[in-house]
């Protein structure tokens, strides 16, 4: 039972012209930890269920095309890294360049076997390769290319630039080249049984913008990791600093982690005859292996790394660059972070307009509100009936259901890994976590899986793609750790009480080998999924966006028991995490209700509602009143009108069981209250309200 090969990254360096100058441009700042964490959590992850949508055919030699959504995710990932690095983040994947990259990826998928023939240079494919074309061959020479990687993940691997042949971090340099405005992207899915590999190509070299003047960058130089706050899983073994026209041959690097010196090893410089983006110095901190993709260990507390790159020759001058990188755990909120909460009434009458304000982040552009209605008891999810009740995000080539390894009944869910990518089953809909001991329960059996593979249960309380949090994990041991046996698992969700969550099961891998077989003895078998202390959300009603600092106004026509949530919108339209849930009770109203903007001040009655409708008004002193010829007065359960008098001239009278009413002095303290069903005469003691 062989394990699949790990990913390979290769790049060919070619010449490109660069110059200094350019117009001023605003850049994303990494000074605020909360803002960077928001940006990472909302903009970095890949949308759930994203599919390549490849239209090609290996049998017909058709390179095909990729789905618009897939290419959009690749473009977003590229611009995310460029934003973090402080270079213009407006790269577009053009149709023409993506067609070339797609041709390159397909040619490599059919022919490139890096483990079997490592001497072949895939950037210069031989004309004897199957489906060779001049366009595809040229594109391989102008692209970042990778084996065993695809889509947005390939972009991250290029920024990482691990591996023994990537000491110049050429992939990184081209993706972060400040002048670049256009790129192209292509992927081939591979067919394991036919020997075709999963390949990626991102066309990065020789685009027209690269001959333009260098635009301003946030930090003057371009570094990875960049100065400021950076999530730990984006800090890799190889550190780099690029500067146009720089000579790093005599440069010296010093690093301190929380004040403690760290030894560094400088990588060899790229030769001057082969320019790769901008001149770059690369170094590796002690304790890191650049041959692997392992990122910086996630710190318990934020770690500040101080860097100085000295003795850099730029023209006739010698320069020194000093900056700090603060490495942080993006799963942990920092000091001063507050959720996007709603403030407003806890109860409303039908027809009444409630105003709800949002406590937004300083960088929010707008806010969004949604209205939730709860359903019945939580369902039970089994694999007996088709279609399966869970939402799938899987590699092609297998069904997530089998009958050979089950806990109860005739079938169980099944996750394997024909490709080195996450296999996901998501519970449908969203759930409100309630109860004293809320939990997700299931029967689990982990079969053959390497130490790099793991079964994971995750919860997402924020609604963003990056909001997933692990609540249970089991790693593989190469052997079938549970054979045909199942173990009952209870994933505690108490930490998410009173929050709305998504839930999913993920079969994942870290760096290393993995079993790519799909037989029933491999991977993760799951059965009998149930929930305790969670209520499914029956309906979700989205409320229109409002500008930052503006209130949301809601009105309802029927009595109801609702839950409200709000979230901020930032970074050019990116939704951030949903805030805490708050309840709202809607009660039936037995009187008229008018809008809050219809308040006005009356000299006799005080502040009135209903000014735009002369027939009705509301005074805090007397309640709802009909302001027609004979004022009506609402006394808690019935409506009355005064036989004589004028709302602006009458005498106020008060009785505890009725409240404030209007009278006419000519009646000597007597006046008639006339309900719909009978007449009632009352005498009041005179008093001044």
């Amino acid at each position: 039972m062989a394990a699949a090969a790990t990913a390979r990254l290769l790049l060919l360096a070619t010449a490109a012209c660069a110059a200094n100058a350019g117009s001023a441009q605003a850049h994303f700042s990494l000074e605020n930890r909360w803002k960077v964490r928001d940006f990472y959590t909302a903009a970095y992850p890949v949308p759930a269920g994203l599919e390549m949508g490849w239209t090609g055919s290996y049998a017909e030699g058709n390179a095909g095309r990729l789905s618009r959504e897939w290419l959009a995710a690749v473009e977003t990932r590229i611009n995310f890294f460029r934003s973090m690095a402080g270079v213009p983040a407006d790269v577009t994947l053009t149709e023409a360049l993506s067609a070339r990259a797609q041709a390159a990826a397909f040619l490599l998928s059919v022919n490139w076997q890096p483990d079997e023939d490592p001497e072949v240079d895939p950037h210069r494919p031989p004309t004897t390769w199957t489906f060779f074309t001049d366009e595809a061959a040229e594109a391989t020479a102008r692209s970042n290319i990778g084996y065993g990687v695809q889509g947005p993940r390939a972009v991250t691997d290029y920024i990482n630039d691990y591996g023994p042949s990537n000491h110049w971090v050429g992939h990184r340099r081209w993706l972060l080249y400040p002048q670049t405005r256009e790129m192209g992207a292509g992927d081939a899915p591979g067919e394991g049984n036919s020997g075709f590999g999963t390949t990626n190509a991102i066309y990065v070299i020789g685009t027209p913008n690269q001959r333009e003047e260098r635009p301003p960058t946030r930090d003057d130089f371009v570094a990875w990791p960049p100065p400021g706050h950076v999530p730990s899983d984006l800090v890799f073994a190889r550190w780099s600093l690029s500067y146009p026209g720089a000579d790093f041959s005599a440069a010296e690097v010093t690093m301190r982690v929380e004040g403690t010196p760290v030894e560094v090893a400088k990588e060899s410089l790229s030769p001057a005859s082969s320019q790769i983006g901008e001149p770059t110095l690369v170094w590796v901190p002690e304790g890191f292996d650049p041959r692997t993709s392992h990122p910086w260990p996630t710190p318990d507390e934020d770690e500040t790394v101080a860097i100085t790159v000295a003795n850099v020759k730029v023209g006739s001058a010698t320069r020194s660059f000093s900056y700090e990188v603060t490495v942080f755990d993006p799963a942990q909120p920092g000091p001063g972070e507050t959720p996007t909460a709603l403030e407003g009434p806890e109860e409303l009458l039908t027809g009444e307009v409630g105003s709800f304000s949002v406590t937004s982040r300083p960088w929010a552009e707008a806010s969004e509100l949604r209205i939730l209605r709860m359903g019945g008891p939580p369902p039970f999810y089994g694999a007996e009936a088709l279609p399966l009740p869970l939402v799938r995000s899987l590699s092609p080539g297998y069904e997530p259901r089998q009958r050979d390894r089950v806990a109860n009944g005739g079938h169980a869910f099944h996750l394997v890994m024909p490709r080195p990518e996450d296999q996901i089953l998501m519970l449908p809909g969203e759930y409100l976590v309630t109860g004293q001991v809320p939990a997700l329960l299931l029967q689990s059996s982990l079969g053959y899986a390497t130490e790099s593979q793991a079964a994971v249960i995750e919860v997402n309380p924020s609604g963003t793609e990056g909001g997933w949090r692990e609540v249970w994990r089991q790693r593989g041991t190469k052997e079938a750790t549970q054979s045909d046996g199942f173990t009952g698992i209870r994933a505690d969700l108490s930490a998410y009480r009173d929050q709305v969550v998504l839930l999913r099961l993920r079969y994942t891998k870290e760096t290393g080998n993995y079993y790519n077989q799909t037989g029933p003895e491999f991977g993760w078998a799951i059965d009998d999924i149930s929930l305790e202390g969670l209520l499914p959300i029956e309906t979700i009603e989205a409320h229109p966006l409002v500008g930052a600092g503006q209130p949301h106004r809601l009105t309802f026509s029927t009595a109801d028991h609702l839950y409200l949530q709000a979230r901020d919108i930032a970074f050019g339209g990116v939704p951030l995490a949903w805030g805490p849930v708050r309840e709202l009770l809607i009660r039936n109203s037995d009187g008229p209700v008018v809008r809050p903007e219809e308040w006005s001040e009356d000299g006799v009655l005080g502040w009135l509602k209903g000014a735009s409708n002369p027939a009705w008004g509301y005074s805090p002193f007397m309640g709802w009143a009909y302001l027609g010829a004979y004022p009506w007065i609402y006394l808690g359960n019935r409506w009355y009108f005064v036989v004589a008098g004028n709302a602006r001239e009458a005498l106020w009278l008060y009785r505890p069981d009725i409240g404030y009413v209007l009278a006419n002095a000519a009646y000597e303290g007597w006046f008639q209250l006339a309900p719909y069903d009978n007449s009632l005469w009352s005498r009041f003691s005179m008093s001044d309200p």
Side-chain angles (χ1 to χ4, degrees):
M1 290 174 285
T6 56
R8 300 293 183 88
L9 307 177
L10 289 173
L11 168 139
L12 176 69
T14 61
C17 300
N20 291 299
S23 58
Q25 179 176 345
H27 296 285
F28 185 68
S29 171
L30 305 186
E31 292 182 5
N32 187 304
R33 183 192 192 278
W34 183 11
K35 186 176 182 180
V36 175
R37 194 171 87 90
D38 267 352
F39 186 47
Y40 170 82
T41 303
Y44 178 78
V46 175
L50 180 68
E51 296 183 354
M52 183 186 296
W54 185 57
T55 63
S57 167
Y58 285 101
E60 299 173 3
N62 178 12
R65 299 166 64 97
L66 306 179
S67 73
R68 190 176 308 172
E69 294 77 12
W70 182 269
L71 289 175
V74 175
E75 183 179 288
T76 297
R77 181 66 61 87
I78 292 171
N79 284 319
F80 168 84
F81 278 111
R82 290 176 67 90
S83 292
M84 292 286 291
V87 301
D90 53 359
V91 165
T92 300
L93 297 182
T94 69
E95 185 173 347
L97 294 182
S98 291
R100 297 180 190 180
Q102 186 63 32
F106 183 70
L107 180 65
L108 294 168
S109 177
V110 173
N111 298 278
W112 187 20
Q113 298 290 338
D115 290 331
E116 297 179 9
D117 196 355
E119 300 302 320
V120 171
D121 182 357
H123 286 290
R124 296 179 176 85
T127 58
T128 56
W129 271 13
T130 304
F131 304 134
F132 178 93
T133 66
D134 290 338
E135 179 188 57
E138 180 192 26
T140 63
R142 294 178 177 270
S143 298
N144 289 347
I145 60 176
Y147 185 92
V149 293
Q150 59 187 18
R153 178 194 162 186
V155 177
T156 299
D157 280 359
Y158 293 142
I159 295 293
N160 187 330
D161 247 353
Y162 62 92
S165 63
N166 293 317
H167 44 270
W168 297 341
V169 295
H171 304 90
R172 179 189 299 176
R173 289 156 73 170
W174 281 122
L175 286 178
L176 302 182
Y177 192 55
Q179 284 90 322
T180 305
R181 295 292 185 277
E182 296 179 351
M183 296 183 187
D187 284 296
E191 284 185 359
N193 294 335
S194 302
F196 302 142
T198 299
T199 53
N200 170 269
I202 298 183
Y203 197 105
V204 292
I205 302 173
T207 60
N209 303 106
Q210 293 177 347
R211 297 180 176 86
E212 298 175 356
E213 294 183 340
R214 185 182 193 263
T217 60
R218 181 189 60 221
D219 306 306
D220 188 26
F221 57 89
V222 178
W224 196 269
H229 291 85
V230 183
S232 59
D233 56 348
L234 301 183
V235 178
F236 308 116
R238 288 189 168 110
W239 293 52
S240 65
L241 184 143
S242 304
Y243 194 83
D247 178 358
F248 292 104
S249 58
E252 299 175 351
V253 181
T254 58
M255 288 184 67
R256 292 178 177 270
V257 178
E258 292 295 322
T260 301
V262 175
E263 294 293 326
V264 302
K266 292 192 298 182
E267 298 274 41
S268 61
L269 297 174
S270 56
S273 61
S274 181
Q275 181 177 333
I276 309 172
E278 294 184 328
T280 300
L281 178 68
V282 183
W283 66 95
V284 179
E286 184 180 22
F288 286 85
D289 184 354
R291 296 170 299 179
T292 70
S293 63
H294 297 313
W296 192 277
T298 302
D300 294 330
E301 297 182 359
D302 296 0
E303 292 181 345
T304 299
V305 184
I307 302 101
T308 296
V309 180
N311 203 29
V312 180
K313 295 180 181 179
V314 182
S316 59
T318 300
R319 290 197 56 180
S320 178
F321 302 90
S322 295
Y323 58 98
E324 290 186 346
V325 177
T326 301
V327 184
F328 72 96
D329 179 2
Q332 299 301 323
E337 293 192 27
T338 56
T340 306
L342 278 170
E343 295 182 1
E346 297 180 356
E347 294 187 5
L348 286 176
L349 296 174
T350 53
E352 184 179 4
V353 177
S355 180
F356 295 86
S357 60
V358 180
T359 56
S360 292
R361 297 149 168 79
W363 49 91
E365 301 155 359
S367 68
E368 181 181 15
L369 182 146
R370 66 176 183 174
I371 304 165
L372 314 174
R373 292 176 173 85
M374 297 301 112
F380 173 89
Y381 297 108
E384 303 305 322
L386 292 176
L388 293 179
L390 305 184
V391 181
R392 316 180 203 182
S393 179
L394 310 170
S395 300
Y398 80 99
E399 287 297 321
R401 178 178 185 256
Q402 49 82 32
R403 64 176 64 188
D404 297 295
R405 189 154 49 109
V406 302
N408 293 294
H411 296 85
F413 300 106
H414 187 214
L415 295 178
V416 291
M417 196 168 290
R419 296 179 185 168
E421 54 195 10
D422 287 348
Q423 310 295 309
I424 295 172
L425 293 176
M426 183 182 299
L427 274 63
E430 299 181 53
Y431 304 85
L432 175 62
V433 183
T434 63
Q436 295 298 316
V437 284
L440 183 151
L441 296 85
L442 55 79
Q443 294 292 320
S444 172
S445 173
L446 186 60
Y448 285 104
T450 71
E451 296 95 330
S452 299
Q453 295 176 285
V456 181
I457 300 175
E458 293 178 312
V459 59
N460 186 334
S462 69
T464 65
E465 294 299 334
W468 292 100
R469 303 288 178 260
E470 186 176 303
V471 292
W472 177 84
R473 169 183 287 255
Q474 181 182 356
R475 293 182 181 274
T477 61
K478 286 189 178 180
E479 302 301 325
T481 56
Q482 298 192 37
S483 185
D484 293 334
F486 280 76
T487 300
I489 303 299
R490 182 184 183 89
D492 184 16
L493 301 176
S494 299
Y496 304 95
R497 189 176 291 111
D498 298 327
Q499 299 184 55
V500 173
V501 300
L502 302 167
L503 297 164
R504 74 181 185 185
L505 315 174
R506 182 166 64 100
Y507 189 46
T508 187
K509 73 173 289 293
E510 299 173 350
T511 300
N513 293 337
Y514 68 101
Y515 288 119
N516 60 4
Q517 291 89 338
T518 60
E521 70 272 25
F522 290 90
W524 188 17
I526 307 133
D527 212 348
D528 297 348
I529 303 170
S530 62
L531 301 171
E532 288 184 3
L534 283 81
L535 293 177
I537 295 175
E538 187 174 74
T539 63
I540 300 176
E541 177 185 338
H543 199 258
L545 299 182
V546 301
Q550 300 298 313
H552 291 267
R553 301 189 186 277
L554 303 177
T555 185
F556 303 91
S557 59
T558 58
D560 213 335
H561 185 190
L562 307 173
Y563 296 83
L564 307 182
Q565 274 186 304
R567 66 179 175 184
D568 287 330
I569 308 296
F571 314 122
V574 178
L576 304 183
W578 286 109
V581 172
R582 63 166 298 154
E583 293 187 62
L584 177 63
L585 188 63
I586 310 300
R587 299 185 184 278
N588 283 320
S589 170
D590 52 3
V593 178
V594 294
R595 298 182 180 278
E597 57 265 25
E598 296 178 1
W599 280 92
S600 67
E601 189 172 14
D602 183 273
V604 175
L605 301 179
W607 284 96
L608 287 177
K609 281 184 181 179
S612 63
N613 181 352
W616 289 99
Y618 177 86
S619 167
F621 298 104
M622 60 178 273
W624 288 101
Y626 179 75
L627 303 180
Y630 298 103
W632 285 86
I633 303 172
Y634 181 62
L635 303 180
N637 59 355
R638 284 189 289 183
W639 289 89
Y640 300 88
F641 71 91
V642 179
V643 172
N646 183 286
R648 294 186 178 276
E649 299 175 358
L651 176 68
W652 285 96
L653 301 173
Y654 177 80
R655 200 171 76 181
D657 60 332
I658 296 179
Y660 286 100
V661 295
L662 298 171
N664 190 300
Y667 283 83
E668 297 181 352
W670 288 88
F671 73 100
Q672 184 184 38
L673 293 177
Y676 289 119
D677 52 356
N678 68 302
S679 295
L680 173 67
W681 286 87
S682 296
R683 181 178 180 86
F684 295 86
S685 60
M686 304 294 288
S687 64
D688 186 353

